[in-house]
Amino acid sequence: MSRDDTRQALAEYALRLGDNSLILGQRLSEWCSHAPQLEEDVALINIALDLVGQARALLSYAGELEGRGRGEDELAFLRDVREWRNLLLVEQPNGDFARTIARQLLFDCYAFELYRALSDSTDSQLAAIAAKSLKEVSYHRRHSVEWTLRLGDGTDESHRRMQAAIDDLWPYTGELFEADAVDAALIAAGIAPDPAELRAAWQASVSQVLARATLAQPESMGLLSGGRSGLHSEHLGHLLAEMQWLQRAYPGLQW
Amino acid sequence: MTDSNWPLYEVFVRSRNGLSHKHVGSLHAADDEMALEAARDLYTRRSEGVSLWVVPSAAITASQSADRDPFFEPAQDKIYRHPTFYELPDEVKHM
């Protein structure tokens, strides 16, 4: 594989990671002023801001590698739904608080393993972004684990809602560990980890948390996927409409 | 925001190593661990600290304003308790 091919694969990879962070950050920010508690409101928005910060670094890097003159703003605000590369899991609606926490738990445990592995990437820029993100994600995971324990092992109602959320979101978890030609190229170059290797660690930590939270782990691994090829659920378009309308209506507007 | 029955906690932040923890405010949380996390999110997001304490407000025994005179008034006229009350001989340096 030529150097240029690797560069383009890395551009695509950075775009995928950046899209995951931005879409999840945008989703979480919908809780602003709506969370069950003032304290939790701030906690969720802190996490959302961490994710948007990660997205900025990753999308800037993706644009730079791509070499078509697109910066973080063009990538964030001027792409249509089919051009987005995020996982289906992160675009799923917030639902009730349990559902938001379940989505965070499944993603945070994944992001933790991913960024830990990427901290050793042979690509120094990606390794630096990962090392910074790992500290943030470690806290995100702690937050979602603590809430999962309390909701799962809480009241009858919180247990029921938390179990329903895990059951509903589980089918989206298979997509986290899919590997395609982009992954293969970067694994070979020592730039990215093999998703299959992340899976065991993710599975171990999620299983342990679910067990402690008295929650049942769904039987089969879900296989809903398509996010990386731009085949999204109907929810993403609505999210993008809200996120992008200002730049679409007033192109180049600054504040 | 809905009403909360969660207990109240007082938050103390140490801004730098070597300084003592200082009371910065309070918050509601379901339990001790969640209080610590909420304190991190509410009171250290602009790099205010390197260490946190959270204490259930109910664990604090406070003086009452009605006790102000018997508690604090008698100290007002004990000026000899301040070091400035004593005159130092000129020979004593570095005090």
Side-chain angles (χ1 to χ4, degrees):
Chain A
M1 178 167 279
S2 76
R3 252 180 99 163
D4 197 51
D5 287 342
T6 306
R7 188 182 171 89
Q8 285 312 312
L10 182 52
E12 178 72 12
Y13 191 79
L15 190 65
R16 291 173 180 178
L17 298 185
D19 284 359
N20 285 342
S21 295
L22 186 55
I23 297 302
L24 189 57
Q26 175 72 15
R27 266 286 176 248
L28 271 185
S29 72
E30 292 169 15
W31 276 107
C32 189
S33 81
H34 295 281
Q37 276 272 322
L38 179 61
E39 288 82 350
E40 187 56 26
D41 206 287
V42 178
L44 290 173
I45 302 312
N46 273 351
I47 294 171
L49 284 173
D50 284 348
L51 291 166
V52 172
Q54 292 167 12
R56 291 190 61 189
L58 289 161
L59 293 182
S60 296
Y61 191 38
E64 186 188 318
L65 290 163
E66 181 192 55
R68 285 168 49 196
R70 294 198 289 183
E72 52 178 310
D73 287 337
E74 285 77 17
L75 289 170
F77 298 121
L78 300 178
R79 271 184 301 154
D80 288 331
V81 64
R82 289 293 299 270
E83 299 167 84
W84 283 77
R85 297 288 174 259
N86 58 280
L87 299 161
L88 298 180
L89 176 67
V90 299
E91 71 197 42
Q92 297 309 305
N94 287 335
D96 60 12
F97 185 66
R99 200 179 168 94
T100 291
I101 291 299
R103 189 186 60 206
Q104 289 305 124
L105 175 75
L106 298 173
F107 183 80
D108 295 342
C109 289
Y110 162 74
F112 178 82
E113 300 302 336
L114 177 65
Y115 286 128
R116 187 158 66 169
L118 282 176
S119 299
D120 297 326
S121 172
T122 55
D123 184 80
S124 59
Q125 177 80 10
L126 193 59
I129 295 172
K132 179 175 185 292
S133 303
L134 182 61
K135 292 177 192 156
E136 297 170 342
V137 167
S138 301
Y139 188 77
H140 302 171
R141 187 178 70 153
R142 177 179 166 138
H143 175 265
S144 49
V145 166
E146 294 294 340
W147 268 118
T148 300
L149 297 177
R150 282 158 182 78
L151 294 173
D153 194 16
T155 65
D156 286 346
E157 184 182 5
S158 72
H159 177 87
R160 177 177 57 74
R161 285 176 182 254
M162 198 65 211
Q163 185 66 60
I166 292 287
D167 291 347
D168 286 351
L169 293 172
W170 197 258
Y172 296 102
T173 53
E175 191 184 23
L176 306 179
F177 307 105
E178 285 179 359
D180 60 10
V182 169
D183 294 286
L186 298 180
I187 294 166
I191 294 174
D194 186 343
E197 287 171 16
L198 304 179
R199 189 173 191 152
W202 176 87
Q203 183 66 65
S205 56
V206 169
S207 296
Q208 194 215 22
V209 174
L210 293 180
R212 283 175 63 204
T214 71
L215 294 164
Q217 183 173 303
E219 290 287 318
S220 60
M221 202 63 171
L223 285 174
L224 285 174
S225 77
R228 289 163 149 201
S229 43
L231 301 174
H232 293 279
S233 59
E234 72 271 28
H235 308 295
L236 184 61
H238 295 283
L239 180 149
L240 292 179
E242 185 168 330
M243 188 174 82
Q244 296 183 334
W245 75 267
L246 197 66
Q247 282 301 320
R248 299 285 195 175
Y250 304 99
L253 185 75
Q254 303 210 338
W255 63 286
Chain B
M1 297 295 156
T2 53
D3 285 342
S4 165
N5 295 319
W6 289 349
L8 192 66
Y9 285 81
E10 302 300 324
V11 181
F12 300 80
V13 175
R14 164 181 275 167
S15 57
R16 279 193 289 125
N17 282 332
L19 297 181
S20 52
H21 287 74
K22 200 170 171 188
H23 184 239
V24 292
S26 56
L27 55 83
H28 285 98
D31 54 43
D32 298 355
E33 183 59 33
M34 297 303 261
L36 193 60
E37 292 193 11
R40 180 263 193 192
D41 288 326
L42 287 163
Y43 291 106
T44 67
R45 61 202 302 266
R46 298 186 185 88
S47 306
E48 289 92 338
V50 294
S51 170
L52 273 172
W53 289 349
V54 290
V55 179
S57 306
I60 292 177
T61 307
S63 64
Q64 304 297 310
S65 56
D67 291 334
R68 196 153 70 188
D69 286 349
F71 262 58
F72 307 115
E73 181 64 31
Q76 297 285 341
D77 59 358
K78 310 290 193 296
I79 53 172
Y80 48 84
R81 288 178 182 168
H82 294 272
T84 48
F85 177 79
Y86 298 95
E87 275 182 35
L88 286 177
D90 289 341
E91 293 74 27
V92 178
K93 303 269 195 275
H94 309 302
M95 280 293 282

